[in-house]
Amino acid sequence: MTLAYDLQGGGHLDLRSVFADIAADLSDVEAYLARLLDEGPLVVRAVASHLLQAGGKRLRPALVLFGAKFGTYVYEDVRKLAAAAELIHMATLAHDDVIDRAELRRGQPTVHALWGEQTAVLAGDYLFAKAFSLLSEVPVGKVVGIMADVVYRMCSGEIAQNVQSRENALPDEDQYLDRIAQKTAVFIAECCRAGAAATGAAPDVEQALYDYGYAMGMGYQIIDDLLDLTAEPKALGKAIGADLRAHVITLPVIHGLRQSQRRAELQQIAESHDVTGESVMTAREILGQSGSFSYAEELAHRFIETAKRSIQPLMDLPAKASLLAMADFVLERQT
């Protein structure tokens, strides 16, 4: 199985330099995932191969490994945890693309576009089950509970988003922040915490890493939502405005609805269930005029600064420098 993960982020940083301290172990996690998934049913092997080859930044297993560096680091003790984190992420991608009716991810056809919705859902379920089978083998038992809570919170966030979309409701900023906390930030935070827990780090270290991951995850998702409206489609790997097309209302739109002199026009687009490419470009123009992109970027910047402050008290290990660099990468990335 050929492996691929995206180490480019645009700007002055890339993940190759950020991941230097864990590069060998992260590469081994990638190979370990491939071996694990080659053991499944034929269709699951095909789906897993497609997901792995499509790439991804592998942030979650990397954060597990970085978190583990603040305890007594033994790679063999955290490999299964790091792999499980990526399996959970892969499962959510398979399911999310079905819910969003997305045809492309990272420039490649989605699982449900190639194999159908039923196979995509079942493959996602298989990946979840495989992840928790691995977690049950991790020496520190509490990581199972940590990751079970992650899945619970992500499902809660997805349900809330689905209800809002179905009812054609427009969320306010607090509702948006709560949603992205559940869908993204808690998972990233718990990857950091679980890595530390698996290697016996002190409770205050676990908490500092959790706080870092939570704030970094909030910033990451805000930038992700911003790129959905501002990035070049080729760089993004899909058409821009995917969130608007799926009736997922993100921070720039929320700000524009509050501040733009063309809010009625923007609201008509946001409430439509038939958003065209022309509508997306109109929304982008409105949001640019109202300063909504700058507002979202500034809030993401504040979250990233909070993340960096959270780990300042930790020992000055190479992993700490890498986490600080990763926070900067979040702000600079273009995909």
Side-chain angles (χ1 to χ4, degrees):
M1 186 181 292
T2 303
L3 309 178
Y5 53 100
D6 177 15
L7 295 178
Q8 287 299 126
H12 303 294
L13 285 171
D14 63 54
L15 289 183
R16 190 172 288 105
S17 58
V18 175
F19 288 171
D21 188 45
I22 57 164
D25 289 347
L26 189 59
S27 179
D28 185 70
V29 169
E30 187 91 355
Y32 179 59
L33 277 169
R35 293 195 300 274
L36 285 174
L37 294 172
D38 268 343
E39 298 169 358
L42 182 60
V43 68
V44 173
R45 295 204 302 269
V47 169
S49 176
H50 176 73
L51 288 170
L52 286 171
Q53 290 179 37
K57 295 177 175 62
R58 305 296 187 255
L59 290 181
R60 290 152 189 86
L63 288 168
V64 169
L65 297 176
F66 281 132
K69 292 284 188 176
F70 291 89
T72 304
Y73 186 85
V74 179
Y75 169 64
E76 289 73 16
D77 290 345
V78 293
R79 180 172 70 168
K80 289 179 179 178
L81 175 56
E86 186 64 14
L87 288 173
I88 291 170
H89 180 54
M90 290 168 63
T92 64
L93 296 184
H95 284 173
D96 285 354
D97 286 337
V98 172
I99 294 168
D100 297 339
R101 299 290 191 269
E103 297 296 319
L104 289 176
R105 180 177 288 277
R106 303 177 188 131
Q108 301 296 321
T110 56
V111 172
H112 82 87
L114 292 174
W115 286 278
E117 292 185 1
Q118 186 178 46
T119 296
V121 171
L122 290 172
D125 292 347
Y126 179 91
L127 294 170
F128 274 127
K130 189 68 176 177
F132 280 92
S133 176
L134 281 182
L135 288 169
S136 71
E137 299 174 13
V138 175
V140 179
K142 76 186 236 182
V143 299
V144 177
I146 287 174
M147 289 303 176
D149 186 63
V150 162
V151 175
Y152 165 77
R153 297 283 296 275
M154 286 194 293
C155 290
S156 296
E158 190 65 52
I159 290 168
Q161 177 176 296
N162 189 254
V163 168
Q164 169 258 309
S165 177
R166 190 173 64 246
E167 295 180 351
N168 217 30
L170 299 177
D172 61 26
E173 188 167 320
D174 287 341
Q175 290 170 323
Y176 165 79
L177 293 174
D178 182 64
R179 187 182 77 212
I180 68 170
Q182 293 189 75
K183 288 191 62 181
T184 302
V186 168
F187 189 9
I188 288 176
E190 294 292 19
C191 285
C192 298
R193 186 210 298 267
T199 55
D204 61 326
V205 172
E206 284 187 37
Q207 187 62 52
L209 289 166
Y210 178 92
D211 293 343
Y212 163 87
Y214 183 89
M216 199 266 281
M218 294 294 285
Y220 184 94
Q221 188 59 55
I222 291 170
I223 292 295
D224 204 61
D225 294 341
L226 184 59
L227 289 171
D228 181 64
L229 288 163
T230 62
E232 292 301 318
K234 185 175 180 180
L236 196 61
K238 59 183 179 181
I240 66 167
D243 289 331
L244 267 179
R245 296 170 201 268
H247 199 63
V248 175
I249 308 304
T250 57
L251 184 60
V253 178
I254 292 168
H255 179 270
L257 289 169
R258 192 170 65 227
Q259 298 292 331
S260 175
Q261 295 182 352
R262 298 168 65 185
R263 65 175 63 88
E265 189 178 358
L266 181 60
Q267 183 171 342
Q268 185 176 21
I269 296 170
E271 291 180 339
S272 172
H273 285 271
D274 186 25
V275 177
T276 65
E278 184 179 353
S279 297
V280 171
M281 297 308 293
T282 299
R284 185 156 82 164
E285 177 186 330
I286 293 170
L287 296 173
Q289 291 172 349
S290 62
S292 301
F293 297 142
S294 298
Y295 178 83
E297 187 173 12
E298 174 57 30
L299 184 55
H301 188 273
R302 293 205 300 269
F303 274 117
I304 294 304
E305 288 304 309
T306 297
K308 292 164 74 172
R309 285 196 302 272
S310 297
I311 56 171
Q312 285 299 341
L314 298 183
M315 292 179 61
D316 289 328
L317 303 173
K320 177 180 172 180
S322 297
L323 291 175
L324 293 171
M326 187 181 292
D328 290 332
F329 166 85
V330 167
L331 291 177
E332 292 193 12
R333 72 191 186 96
Q334 297 173 5
T335 63

